[in-house]
Amino acid sequence: MRRAMKISFHGAAREVTGSCHLVEANGLRVLLDCGLIQGGSDRHERNRQEFPFDLSKLDFVLLSHAHIDHSGRLPRLVRAGYEGPILCSAPTRALAKILLPDAGRIQEEDARWKVKRLRKKGKDYSWVKPLFSEEDAWETLKRFESVPFGQWFPLDGKAQARFVEAGHILGASIVEVRFESGEGSRRLAFSGDLGVPDARLLGFPKPVPCPEVLIIESTYGDRLRDPCCDATEELYEVISKTIDRGGKVIIPAFAVGRTQEVLARINDLVEQGRLGGFPIYVDSPMAVQATRVVAVHPQAYSEKARKLYAEGDKPLEFPGLHLTRDVDESIALNKSKQPSVIISASGMCDAGRIKHHLKHNISSSRNTILFVGYQAHGSLGRVIESGADPVRIFGEYLPVRAKVTSIDSFSAHADQKGLLCWYRSLEGNPKQTYVVHGEEQSAVTFAGTLKAEFEAAAYAPRRGETVEV
């Protein structure tokens, strides 16, 4: 009888962020992702908790992609004692070199702001420490090793793994692990985050052979996007109306993925002569660097985007685009009265320069706050998107006078139809499917949909739960 494969879900289980799953099989312990928990009043405490597994017995980390909710606790993992490799695709490694140090700087900057506010109020601030530092991030990056897409590589002779394009962001991967033993081969696939079929830059996720065990995301597992919606047209409507009334469009966007997708569509509108005459700012050092990385990897674009690129269309370069870097430039944007578009991180508004732009612009009726990505429960972005008024930013309650709107079709996550399409491409049912990376309703609904449509053995595990297959 074969020994059981044990899987423990330590994050992104009936929630969207903090992706972290431990797989134990054949005497090997492999961690799938180690992401930051974003949103929720307990996120600070949870991110600082000790890891609930023995780091000395952890053999490998396989990273699906560079987004912070999948990679952001890696510096804590290394600082806590993990000494093994962190394996990923080459583009993911390139982006992690940007995202993780920047995340460390943001942690340090936010800690300084917290100290400043507490000191001003005469309160104790000695307890305030950043979650991890920029130095911690650079130490972590020494453990990164990249592997080409589609190439199987050994894990200590006890297993093999490979990364397959997931389409979500540059470098995003479906992770396959094949455990070999005298008792036979067992295969596990982890979807990571799956992309959408109509993205401007990247292609749809590639199929993989049906695994024995599947771990699949469900961010939009309970909803369908309007097939008639055109993200470019919706973006045009929002920007043109806001500029006409003399306002600014503030777009919270993940530095990697959504920022570049928005820019590519603005590029199309500028080239068509429909937008122009006002500045478009990318105000995030991390997003600026990531945009440059994406720009030099056209081989990862969709077939349509590659064709346009070959014809000379560079989707991330157009008149009016300004990539800001230093703090003085960022501050100047909030002092300026000129109509403009400001794209800034973080995408859920919980950290970074976007909070300053919201503080200075959310109370003017001329302006628009435009959400183009998923806002996790408990995040500042979700609070604003849900219609709260006033909202608390940097300890101050501010009235919401700006127009608040969203373009759901901009999300980099497949909706329920897209998820089912990819599952169908497996051409069979895994022995067991675990539905993760979705808020409880979404995860449970999608698990139920898999059961109803495919008679799949699907289940949405809870955080901290361990299963055996």
PDB file of all heavy atoms in Angstrom, residues 235 239 249-255 258-264 266 280-284 287-288 318 321-322 324 333 340-345 353-354 357 372:
ATOM      1  N   LEU A 235     -12.304  51.681 -19.713  1.00  0.00           N
ATOM      2  CA  LEU A 235     -11.208  52.533 -19.253  1.00  0.00           C
ATOM      3  C   LEU A 235     -11.275  53.902 -19.921  1.00  0.00           C
ATOM      4  O   LEU A 235     -11.084  54.934 -19.263  1.00  0.00           O
ATOM      5  CB  LEU A 235      -9.874  51.857 -19.572  1.00  0.00           C
ATOM      6  CG  LEU A 235      -8.602  52.582 -19.118  1.00  0.00           C
ATOM      7  CD1 LEU A 235      -8.555  52.678 -17.590  1.00  0.00           C
ATOM      8  CD2 LEU A 235      -7.360  51.852 -19.624  1.00  0.00           C
ATOM      9  N   ILE A 239     -11.616  57.505 -17.872  1.00  0.00           N
ATOM     10  CA  ILE A 239     -10.570  58.519 -17.981  1.00  0.00           C
ATOM     11  C   ILE A 239     -11.080  59.781 -18.651  1.00  0.00           C
ATOM     12  O   ILE A 239     -10.862  60.899 -18.158  1.00  0.00           O
ATOM     13  CB  ILE A 239      -9.349  57.959 -18.747  1.00  0.00           C
ATOM     14  CG1 ILE A 239      -8.664  56.862 -17.930  1.00  0.00           C
ATOM     15  CG2 ILE A 239      -8.347  59.071 -19.061  1.00  0.00           C
ATOM     16  CD1 ILE A 239      -7.504  56.188 -18.641  1.00  0.00           C
ATOM     17  N   VAL A 249      -7.570  60.656 -12.239  1.00  0.00           N
ATOM     18  CA  VAL A 249      -7.965  59.258 -12.097  1.00  0.00           C
ATOM     19  C   VAL A 249      -6.884  58.562 -11.275  1.00  0.00           C
ATOM     20  O   VAL A 249      -5.731  58.481 -11.701  1.00  0.00           O
ATOM     21  CB  VAL A 249      -8.109  58.559 -13.459  1.00  0.00           C
ATOM     22  CG1 VAL A 249      -8.562  57.105 -13.261  1.00  0.00           C
ATOM     23  CG2 VAL A 249      -9.095  59.306 -14.351  1.00  0.00           C
ATOM     24  N   ILE A 250      -7.243  58.109 -10.091  1.00  0.00           N
ATOM     25  CA  ILE A 250      -6.307  57.411  -9.208  1.00  0.00           C
ATOM     26  C   ILE A 250      -6.567  55.918  -9.346  1.00  0.00           C
ATOM     27  O   ILE A 250      -7.668  55.440  -9.047  1.00  0.00           O
ATOM     28  CB  ILE A 250      -6.484  57.850  -7.739  1.00  0.00           C
ATOM     29  CG1 ILE A 250      -6.449  59.384  -7.619  1.00  0.00           C
ATOM     30  CG2 ILE A 250      -5.429  57.192  -6.860  1.00  0.00           C
ATOM     31  CD1 ILE A 250      -5.148  60.014  -8.071  1.00  0.00           C
ATOM     32  N   ILE A 251      -5.562  55.174  -9.823  1.00  0.00           N
ATOM     33  CA  ILE A 251      -5.726  53.743 -10.069  1.00  0.00           C
ATOM     34  C   ILE A 251      -4.798  52.949  -9.160  1.00  0.00           C
ATOM     35  O   ILE A 251      -3.584  52.897  -9.392  1.00  0.00           O
ATOM     36  CB  ILE A 251      -5.429  53.390 -11.544  1.00  0.00           C
ATOM     37  CG1 ILE A 251      -6.290  54.241 -12.488  1.00  0.00           C
ATOM     38  CG2 ILE A 251      -5.672  51.902 -11.793  1.00  0.00           C
ATOM     39  CD1 ILE A 251      -6.027  53.971 -13.965  1.00  0.00           C
ATOM     40  N   PRO A 252      -5.338  52.331  -8.094  1.00  0.00           N
ATOM     41  CA  PRO A 252      -4.515  51.403  -7.304  1.00  0.00           C
ATOM     42  C   PRO A 252      -4.287  50.151  -8.148  1.00  0.00           C
ATOM     43  O   PRO A 252      -5.250  49.534  -8.614  1.00  0.00           O
ATOM     44  CB  PRO A 252      -5.384  51.089  -6.084  1.00  0.00           C
ATOM     45  CG  PRO A 252      -6.505  52.109  -6.121  1.00  0.00           C
ATOM     46  CD  PRO A 252      -6.694  52.451  -7.548  1.00  0.00           C
ATOM     47  N   ALA A 253      -3.044  49.784  -8.369  1.00  0.00           N
ATOM     48  CA  ALA A 253      -2.774  48.636  -9.243  1.00  0.00           C
ATOM     49  C   ALA A 253      -1.551  47.895  -8.768  1.00  0.00           C
ATOM     50  O   ALA A 253      -0.562  48.506  -8.356  1.00  0.00           O
ATOM     51  CB  ALA A 253      -2.573  49.096 -10.688  1.00  0.00           C
ATOM     52  N   PHE A 254      -1.616  46.583  -8.821  1.00  0.00           N
ATOM     53  CA  PHE A 254      -0.444  45.787  -8.490  1.00  0.00           C
ATOM     54  C   PHE A 254       0.689  46.172  -9.419  1.00  0.00           C
ATOM     55  O   PHE A 254       0.504  46.337 -10.629  1.00  0.00           O
ATOM     56  CB  PHE A 254      -0.755  44.299  -8.609  1.00  0.00           C
ATOM     57  CG  PHE A 254      -1.761  43.831  -7.589  1.00  0.00           C
ATOM     58  CD1 PHE A 254      -3.059  43.522  -7.960  1.00  0.00           C
ATOM     59  CD2 PHE A 254      -1.411  43.720  -6.256  1.00  0.00           C
ATOM     60  CE1 PHE A 254      -3.985  43.106  -7.022  1.00  0.00           C
ATOM     61  CE2 PHE A 254      -2.330  43.304  -5.303  1.00  0.00           C
ATOM     62  CZ  PHE A 254      -3.618  42.997  -5.690  1.00  0.00           C
ATOM     63  N   ALA A 255       1.867  46.304  -8.847  1.00  0.00           N
ATOM     64  CA  ALA A 255       3.028  46.766  -9.609  1.00  0.00           C
ATOM     65  C   ALA A 255       3.357  45.839 -10.762  1.00  0.00           C
ATOM     66  O   ALA A 255       3.874  46.268 -11.788  1.00  0.00           O
ATOM     67  CB  ALA A 255       4.243  46.905  -8.684  1.00  0.00           C
ATOM     68  N   ARG A 258      -1.258  44.154 -13.332  1.00  0.00           N
ATOM     69  CA  ARG A 258      -2.316  45.117 -13.654  1.00  0.00           C
ATOM     70  C   ARG A 258      -1.745  46.429 -14.180  1.00  0.00           C
ATOM     71  O   ARG A 258      -2.308  47.029 -15.094  1.00  0.00           O
ATOM     72  CB  ARG A 258      -3.178  45.391 -12.428  1.00  0.00           C
ATOM     73  CG  ARG A 258      -4.011  44.237 -11.964  1.00  0.00           C
ATOM     74  CD  ARG A 258      -4.840  43.616 -13.067  1.00  0.00           C
ATOM     75  NE  ARG A 258      -4.021  42.704 -13.864  1.00  0.00           N
ATOM     76  CZ  ARG A 258      -4.320  42.283 -15.084  1.00  0.00           C
ATOM     77  NH1 ARG A 258      -5.386  42.723 -15.692  1.00  0.00           N
ATOM     78  NH2 ARG A 258      -3.526  41.455 -15.722  1.00  0.00           N
ATOM     79  N   THR A 259      -0.648  46.917 -13.612  1.00  0.00           N
ATOM     80  CA  THR A 259      -0.074  48.175 -14.090  1.00  0.00           C
ATOM     81  C   THR A 259       0.252  48.069 -15.568  1.00  0.00           C
ATOM     82  O   THR A 259      -0.094  48.958 -16.371  1.00  0.00           O
ATOM     83  CB  THR A 259       1.198  48.535 -13.293  1.00  0.00           C
ATOM     84  OG1 THR A 259       0.820  48.867 -11.956  1.00  0.00           O
ATOM     85  CG2 THR A 259       1.914  49.727 -13.905  1.00  0.00           C
ATOM     86  N   GLN A 260       0.907  46.987 -15.978  1.00  0.00           N
ATOM     87  CA  GLN A 260       1.304  46.840 -17.376  1.00  0.00           C
ATOM     88  C   GLN A 260       0.095  46.622 -18.283  1.00  0.00           C
ATOM     89  O   GLN A 260       0.056  47.121 -19.409  1.00  0.00           O
ATOM     90  CB  GLN A 260       2.298  45.680 -17.521  1.00  0.00           C
ATOM     91  CG  GLN A 260       3.650  45.927 -16.879  1.00  0.00           C
ATOM     92  CD  GLN A 260       3.623  45.814 -15.365  1.00  0.00           C
ATOM     93  OE1 GLN A 260       2.943  44.944 -14.819  1.00  0.00           O
ATOM     94  NE2 GLN A 260       4.356  46.686 -14.687  1.00  0.00           N
ATOM     95  N   GLU A 261      -0.923  45.908 -17.799  1.00  0.00           N
ATOM     96  CA  GLU A 261      -2.123  45.693 -18.597  1.00  0.00           C
ATOM     97  C   GLU A 261      -2.863  47.008 -18.825  1.00  0.00           C
ATOM     98  O   GLU A 261      -3.327  47.292 -19.937  1.00  0.00           O
ATOM     99  CB  GLU A 261      -3.036  44.678 -17.897  1.00  0.00           C
ATOM    100  CG  GLU A 261      -4.286  44.309 -18.666  1.00  0.00           C
ATOM    101  CD  GLU A 261      -4.030  43.415 -19.876  1.00  0.00           C
ATOM    102  OE1 GLU A 261      -2.928  42.858 -19.994  1.00  0.00           O
ATOM    103  OE2 GLU A 261      -4.950  43.280 -20.709  1.00  0.00           O
ATOM    104  N   VAL A 262      -2.966  47.828 -17.796  1.00  0.00           N
ATOM    105  CA  VAL A 262      -3.614  49.139 -17.936  1.00  0.00           C
ATOM    106  C   VAL A 262      -2.833  50.010 -18.916  1.00  0.00           C
ATOM    107  O   VAL A 262      -3.404  50.669 -19.793  1.00  0.00           O
ATOM    108  CB  VAL A 262      -3.742  49.829 -16.559  1.00  0.00           C
ATOM    109  CG1 VAL A 262      -4.190  51.280 -16.727  1.00  0.00           C
ATOM    110  CG2 VAL A 262      -4.731  49.080 -15.678  1.00  0.00           C
ATOM    111  N   LEU A 263      -1.516  50.009 -18.775  1.00  0.00           N
ATOM    112  CA  LEU A 263      -0.692  50.827 -19.674  1.00  0.00           C
ATOM    113  C   LEU A 263      -0.840  50.382 -21.123  1.00  0.00           C
ATOM    114  O   LEU A 263      -0.913  51.228 -22.036  1.00  0.00           O
ATOM    115  CB  LEU A 263       0.781  50.748 -19.252  1.00  0.00           C
ATOM    116  CG  LEU A 263       1.168  51.470 -17.968  1.00  0.00           C
ATOM    117  CD1 LEU A 263       2.651  51.239 -17.657  1.00  0.00           C
ATOM    118  CD2 LEU A 263       0.887  52.968 -18.056  1.00  0.00           C
ATOM    119  N   ALA A 264      -0.888  49.087 -21.358  1.00  0.00           N
ATOM    120  CA  ALA A 264      -1.023  48.589 -22.729  1.00  0.00           C
ATOM    121  C   ALA A 264      -2.331  49.055 -23.355  1.00  0.00           C
ATOM    122  O   ALA A 264      -2.377  49.405 -24.548  1.00  0.00           O
ATOM    123  CB  ALA A 264      -0.937  47.066 -22.741  1.00  0.00           C
ATOM    124  N   ILE A 266      -4.095  51.803 -22.373  1.00  0.00           N
ATOM    125  CA  ILE A 266      -3.994  53.248 -22.576  1.00  0.00           C
ATOM    126  C   ILE A 266      -3.178  53.532 -23.834  1.00  0.00           C
ATOM    127  O   ILE A 266      -3.503  54.432 -24.627  1.00  0.00           O
ATOM    128  CB  ILE A 266      -3.362  53.935 -21.350  1.00  0.00           C
ATOM    129  CG1 ILE A 266      -4.308  53.860 -20.148  1.00  0.00           C
ATOM    130  CG2 ILE A 266      -3.032  55.404 -21.667  1.00  0.00           C
ATOM    131  CD1 ILE A 266      -3.741  54.458 -18.865  1.00  0.00           C
ATOM    132  N   ILE A 280       0.160  60.701 -17.890  1.00  0.00           N
ATOM    133  CA  ILE A 280      -0.149  59.435 -17.227  1.00  0.00           C
ATOM    134  C   ILE A 280       1.082  59.055 -16.421  1.00  0.00           C
ATOM    135  O   ILE A 280       2.175  58.884 -16.982  1.00  0.00           O
ATOM    136  CB  ILE A 280      -0.487  58.320 -18.236  1.00  0.00           C
ATOM    137  CG1 ILE A 280      -1.762  58.662 -19.013  1.00  0.00           C
ATOM    138  CG2 ILE A 280      -0.665  56.978 -17.520  1.00  0.00           C
ATOM    139  CD1 ILE A 280      -1.523  59.260 -20.356  1.00  0.00           C
ATOM    140  N   TYR A 281       0.922  58.953 -15.103  1.00  0.00           N
ATOM    141  CA  TYR A 281       2.052  58.670 -14.222  1.00  0.00           C
ATOM    142  C   TYR A 281       1.982  57.250 -13.681  1.00  0.00           C
ATOM    143  O   TYR A 281       0.909  56.780 -13.275  1.00  0.00           O
ATOM    144  CB  TYR A 281       2.052  59.627 -13.025  1.00  0.00           C
ATOM    145  CG  TYR A 281       2.212  61.085 -13.389  1.00  0.00           C
ATOM    146  CD1 TYR A 281       1.100  61.928 -13.440  1.00  0.00           C
ATOM    147  CD2 TYR A 281       3.470  61.617 -13.658  1.00  0.00           C
ATOM    148  CE1 TYR A 281       1.232  63.275 -13.762  1.00  0.00           C
ATOM    149  CE2 TYR A 281       3.620  62.956 -13.988  1.00  0.00           C
ATOM    150  CZ  TYR A 281       2.499  63.781 -14.042  1.00  0.00           C
ATOM    151  OH  TYR A 281       2.634  65.109 -14.363  1.00  0.00           O
ATOM    152  N   VAL A 282       3.112  56.582 -13.687  1.00  0.00           N
ATOM    153  CA  VAL A 282       3.268  55.348 -12.910  1.00  0.00           C
ATOM    154  C   VAL A 282       4.112  55.737 -11.717  1.00  0.00           C
ATOM    155  O   VAL A 282       5.306  56.002 -11.836  1.00  0.00           O
ATOM    156  CB  VAL A 282       3.947  54.232 -13.728  1.00  0.00           C
ATOM    157  CG1 VAL A 282       4.183  53.011 -12.842  1.00  0.00           C
ATOM    158  CG2 VAL A 282       3.091  53.857 -14.932  1.00  0.00           C
ATOM    159  N   ASP A 283       3.463  55.835 -10.550  1.00  0.00           N
ATOM    160  CA  ASP A 283       4.156  56.328  -9.356  1.00  0.00           C
ATOM    161  C   ASP A 283       4.385  55.186  -8.377  1.00  0.00           C
ATOM    162  O   ASP A 283       3.656  55.017  -7.397  1.00  0.00           O
ATOM    163  CB  ASP A 283       3.357  57.450  -8.693  1.00  0.00           C
ATOM    164  CG  ASP A 283       4.107  58.039  -7.509  1.00  0.00           C
ATOM    165  OD1 ASP A 283       5.347  58.121  -7.584  1.00  0.00           O
ATOM    166  OD2 ASP A 283       3.460  58.392  -6.504  1.00  0.00           O
ATOM    167  N   SER A 284       5.388  54.406  -8.665  1.00  0.00           N
ATOM    168  CA  SER A 284       5.806  53.304  -7.810  1.00  0.00           C
ATOM    169  C   SER A 284       7.152  52.842  -8.321  1.00  0.00           C
ATOM    170  O   SER A 284       7.240  52.361  -9.455  1.00  0.00           O
ATOM    171  CB  SER A 284       4.798  52.147  -7.857  1.00  0.00           C
ATOM    172  OG  SER A 284       5.384  50.955  -7.379  1.00  0.00           O
ATOM    173  N   ALA A 287       6.797  49.372  -9.557  1.00  0.00           N
ATOM    174  CA  ALA A 287       6.056  49.235 -10.811  1.00  0.00           C
ATOM    175  C   ALA A 287       6.886  49.716 -11.995  1.00  0.00           C
ATOM    176  O   ALA A 287       6.814  49.149 -13.087  1.00  0.00           O
ATOM    177  CB  ALA A 287       4.751  50.007 -10.732  1.00  0.00           C
ATOM    178  N   VAL A 288       7.665  50.775 -11.788  1.00  0.00           N
ATOM    179  CA  VAL A 288       8.529  51.285 -12.857  1.00  0.00           C
ATOM    180  C   VAL A 288       9.518  50.209 -13.278  1.00  0.00           C
ATOM    181  O   VAL A 288       9.704  49.928 -14.472  1.00  0.00           O
ATOM    182  CB  VAL A 288       9.262  52.563 -12.399  1.00  0.00           C
ATOM    183  CG1 VAL A 288      10.365  52.935 -13.387  1.00  0.00           C
ATOM    184  CG2 VAL A 288       8.280  53.727 -12.256  1.00  0.00           C
ATOM    185  N   PHE A 318       4.547  55.236 -24.785  1.00  0.00           N
ATOM    186  CA  PHE A 318       3.679  56.122 -25.555  1.00  0.00           C
ATOM    187  C   PHE A 318       3.808  57.551 -25.036  1.00  0.00           C
ATOM    188  O   PHE A 318       4.230  57.771 -23.887  1.00  0.00           O
ATOM    189  CB  PHE A 318       2.218  55.654 -25.489  1.00  0.00           C
ATOM    190  CG  PHE A 318       1.683  55.459 -24.094  1.00  0.00           C
ATOM    191  CD1 PHE A 318       1.134  56.512 -23.372  1.00  0.00           C
ATOM    192  CD2 PHE A 318       1.732  54.203 -23.506  1.00  0.00           C
ATOM    193  CE1 PHE A 318       0.647  56.314 -22.098  1.00  0.00           C
ATOM    194  CE2 PHE A 318       1.243  54.003 -22.220  1.00  0.00           C
ATOM    195  CZ  PHE A 318       0.696  55.068 -21.520  1.00  0.00           C
ATOM    196  N   LEU A 321       3.458  59.365 -21.115  1.00  0.00           N
ATOM    197  CA  LEU A 321       3.747  58.446 -20.006  1.00  0.00           C
ATOM    198  C   LEU A 321       4.963  58.927 -19.226  1.00  0.00           C
ATOM    199  O   LEU A 321       6.011  59.219 -19.801  1.00  0.00           O
ATOM    200  CB  LEU A 321       4.005  57.037 -20.547  1.00  0.00           C
ATOM    201  CG  LEU A 321       4.408  55.978 -19.508  1.00  0.00           C
ATOM    202  CD1 LEU A 321       3.300  55.772 -18.472  1.00  0.00           C
ATOM    203  CD2 LEU A 321       4.750  54.654 -20.200  1.00  0.00           C
ATOM    204  N   HIS A 322       4.813  58.995 -17.906  1.00  0.00           N
ATOM    205  CA  HIS A 322       5.909  59.419 -17.025  1.00  0.00           C
ATOM    206  C   HIS A 322       6.094  58.355 -15.945  1.00  0.00           C
ATOM    207  O   HIS A 322       5.139  57.989 -15.252  1.00  0.00           O
ATOM    208  CB  HIS A 322       5.598  60.770 -16.370  1.00  0.00           C
ATOM    209  CG  HIS A 322       5.363  61.872 -17.341  1.00  0.00           C
ATOM    210  ND1 HIS A 322       6.368  62.669 -17.828  1.00  0.00           N
ATOM    211  CD2 HIS A 322       4.212  62.293 -17.937  1.00  0.00           C
ATOM    212  CE1 HIS A 322       5.864  63.554 -18.667  1.00  0.00           C
ATOM    213  NE2 HIS A 322       4.554  63.349 -18.759  1.00  0.00           N
ATOM    214  N   THR A 324       7.656  57.854 -12.557  1.00  0.00           N
ATOM    215  CA  THR A 324       8.259  58.593 -11.443  1.00  0.00           C
ATOM    216  C   THR A 324       9.069  57.653 -10.565  1.00  0.00           C
ATOM    217  O   THR A 324       8.807  56.453 -10.502  1.00  0.00           O
ATOM    218  CB  THR A 324       7.191  59.287 -10.582  1.00  0.00           C
ATOM    219  OG1 THR A 324       6.433  58.289  -9.890  1.00  0.00           O
ATOM    220  CG2 THR A 324       6.259  60.122 -11.438  1.00  0.00           C
ATOM    221  N   LEU A 333       3.005  65.314  -7.377  1.00  0.00           N
ATOM    222  CA  LEU A 333       1.765  64.911  -8.053  1.00  0.00           C
ATOM    223  C   LEU A 333       0.546  65.311  -7.241  1.00  0.00           C
ATOM    224  O   LEU A 333      -0.493  65.681  -7.791  1.00  0.00           O
ATOM    225  CB  LEU A 333       1.756  63.398  -8.280  1.00  0.00           C
ATOM    226  CG  LEU A 333       2.827  62.810  -9.196  1.00  0.00           C
ATOM    227  CD1 LEU A 333       2.596  61.319  -9.384  1.00  0.00           C
ATOM    228  CD2 LEU A 333       2.839  63.522 -10.539  1.00  0.00           C
ATOM    229  N   SER A 340      -4.936  64.375 -14.650  1.00  0.00           N
ATOM    230  CA  SER A 340      -3.939  63.347 -14.943  1.00  0.00           C
ATOM    231  C   SER A 340      -4.468  61.979 -14.550  1.00  0.00           C
ATOM    232  O   SER A 340      -5.531  61.850 -13.936  1.00  0.00           O
ATOM    233  CB  SER A 340      -2.635  63.636 -14.183  1.00  0.00           C
ATOM    234  OG  SER A 340      -2.864  63.641 -12.777  1.00  0.00           O
ATOM    235  N   VAL A 341      -3.701  60.970 -14.920  1.00  0.00           N
ATOM    236  CA  VAL A 341      -3.947  59.597 -14.481  1.00  0.00           C
ATOM    237  C   VAL A 341      -2.746  59.186 -13.635  1.00  0.00           C
ATOM    238  O   VAL A 341      -1.604  59.350 -14.058  1.00  0.00           O
ATOM    239  CB  VAL A 341      -4.102  58.629 -15.671  1.00  0.00           C
ATOM    240  CG1 VAL A 341      -4.225  57.187 -15.176  1.00  0.00           C
ATOM    241  CG2 VAL A 341      -5.313  59.017 -16.514  1.00  0.00           C
ATOM    242  N   ILE A 342      -3.007  58.678 -12.433  1.00  0.00           N
ATOM    243  CA  ILE A 342      -1.939  58.242 -11.541  1.00  0.00           C
ATOM    244  C   ILE A 342      -2.162  56.778 -11.203  1.00  0.00           C
ATOM    245  O   ILE A 342      -3.168  56.407 -10.589  1.00  0.00           O
ATOM    246  CB  ILE A 342      -1.890  59.070 -10.246  1.00  0.00           C
ATOM    247  CG1 ILE A 342      -1.658  60.561 -10.562  1.00  0.00           C
ATOM    248  CG2 ILE A 342      -0.793  58.554  -9.308  1.00  0.00           C
ATOM    249  CD1 ILE A 342      -1.750  61.467  -9.351  1.00  0.00           C
ATOM    250  N   ILE A 343      -1.235  55.934 -11.638  1.00  0.00           N
ATOM    251  CA  ILE A 343      -1.281  54.500 -11.349  1.00  0.00           C
ATOM    252  C   ILE A 343      -0.238  54.220 -10.283  1.00  0.00           C
ATOM    253  O   ILE A 343       0.944  54.543 -10.457  1.00  0.00           O
ATOM    254  CB  ILE A 343      -0.969  53.673 -12.610  1.00  0.00           C
ATOM    255  CG1 ILE A 343      -1.905  54.066 -13.759  1.00  0.00           C
ATOM    256  CG2 ILE A 343      -1.072  52.179 -12.318  1.00  0.00           C
ATOM    257  CD1 ILE A 343      -1.484  53.505 -15.109  1.00  0.00           C
ATOM    258  N   SER A 344      -0.650  53.645  -9.159  1.00  0.00           N
ATOM    259  CA  SER A 344       0.277  53.478  -8.056  1.00  0.00           C
ATOM    260  C   SER A 344      -0.044  52.214  -7.266  1.00  0.00           C
ATOM    261  O   SER A 344      -1.176  51.734  -7.265  1.00  0.00           O
ATOM    262  CB  SER A 344       0.238  54.708  -7.142  1.00  0.00           C
ATOM    263  OG  SER A 344       1.259  54.676  -6.172  1.00  0.00           O
ATOM    264  N   ALA A 345       0.964  51.681  -6.588  1.00  0.00           N
ATOM    265  CA  ALA A 345       0.809  50.468  -5.766  1.00  0.00           C
ATOM    266  C   ALA A 345       0.728  50.871  -4.284  1.00  0.00           C
ATOM    267  O   ALA A 345       1.138  51.973  -3.919  1.00  0.00           O
ATOM    268  CB  ALA A 345       1.993  49.535  -6.013  1.00  0.00           C
ATOM    269  N   ARG A 353       2.754  54.159  -1.926  1.00  0.00           N
ATOM    270  CA  ARG A 353       2.410  55.536  -2.277  1.00  0.00           C
ATOM    271  C   ARG A 353       0.938  55.746  -2.576  1.00  0.00           C
ATOM    272  O   ARG A 353       0.427  56.862  -2.474  1.00  0.00           O
ATOM    273  CB  ARG A 353       3.251  55.977  -3.481  1.00  0.00           C
ATOM    274  CG  ARG A 353       4.736  56.066  -3.161  1.00  0.00           C
ATOM    275  CD  ARG A 353       5.524  56.548  -4.363  1.00  0.00           C
ATOM    276  NE  ARG A 353       6.962  56.591  -4.076  1.00  0.00           N
ATOM    277  CZ  ARG A 353       7.887  56.943  -4.950  1.00  0.00           C
ATOM    278  NH1 ARG A 353       7.518  57.301  -6.185  1.00  0.00           N
ATOM    279  NH2 ARG A 353       9.164  56.957  -4.616  1.00  0.00           N
ATOM    280  N   ILE A 354       0.225  54.673  -2.947  1.00  0.00           N
ATOM    281  CA  ILE A 354      -1.186  54.839  -3.279  1.00  0.00           C
ATOM    282  C   ILE A 354      -1.971  55.424  -2.107  1.00  0.00           C
ATOM    283  O   ILE A 354      -2.917  56.194  -2.300  1.00  0.00           O
ATOM    284  CB  ILE A 354      -1.814  53.488  -3.724  1.00  0.00           C
ATOM    285  CG1 ILE A 354      -3.231  53.699  -4.241  1.00  0.00           C
ATOM    286  CG2 ILE A 354      -1.777  52.473  -2.600  1.00  0.00           C
ATOM    287  CD1 ILE A 354      -3.340  54.585  -5.444  1.00  0.00           C
ATOM    288  N   HIS A 357      -1.793  59.128  -2.296  1.00  0.00           N
ATOM    289  CA  HIS A 357      -2.629  59.671  -3.377  1.00  0.00           C
ATOM    290  C   HIS A 357      -4.101  59.623  -3.005  1.00  0.00           C
ATOM    291  O   HIS A 357      -4.863  60.539  -3.325  1.00  0.00           O
ATOM    292  CB  HIS A 357      -2.370  58.902  -4.670  1.00  0.00           C
ATOM    293  CG  HIS A 357      -0.983  59.092  -5.208  1.00  0.00           C
ATOM    294  ND1 HIS A 357      -0.460  60.338  -5.479  1.00  0.00           N
ATOM    295  CD2 HIS A 357      -0.002  58.199  -5.504  1.00  0.00           C
ATOM    296  CE1 HIS A 357       0.780  60.204  -5.926  1.00  0.00           C
ATOM    297  NE2 HIS A 357       1.081  58.923  -5.940  1.00  0.00           N
ATOM    298  N   VAL A 372      -8.963  48.198 -10.541  1.00  0.00           N
ATOM    299  CA  VAL A 372      -8.798  47.317 -11.701  1.00  0.00           C
ATOM    300  C   VAL A 372      -8.346  45.920 -11.292  1.00  0.00           C
ATOM    301  O   VAL A 372      -7.946  45.127 -12.138  1.00  0.00           O
ATOM    302  CB  VAL A 372      -7.799  47.922 -12.718  1.00  0.00           C
ATOM    303  CG1 VAL A 372      -8.346  49.196 -13.320  1.00  0.00           C
ATOM    304  CG2 VAL A 372      -6.434  48.175 -12.061  1.00  0.00           C
TER     305      VAL A 372
END
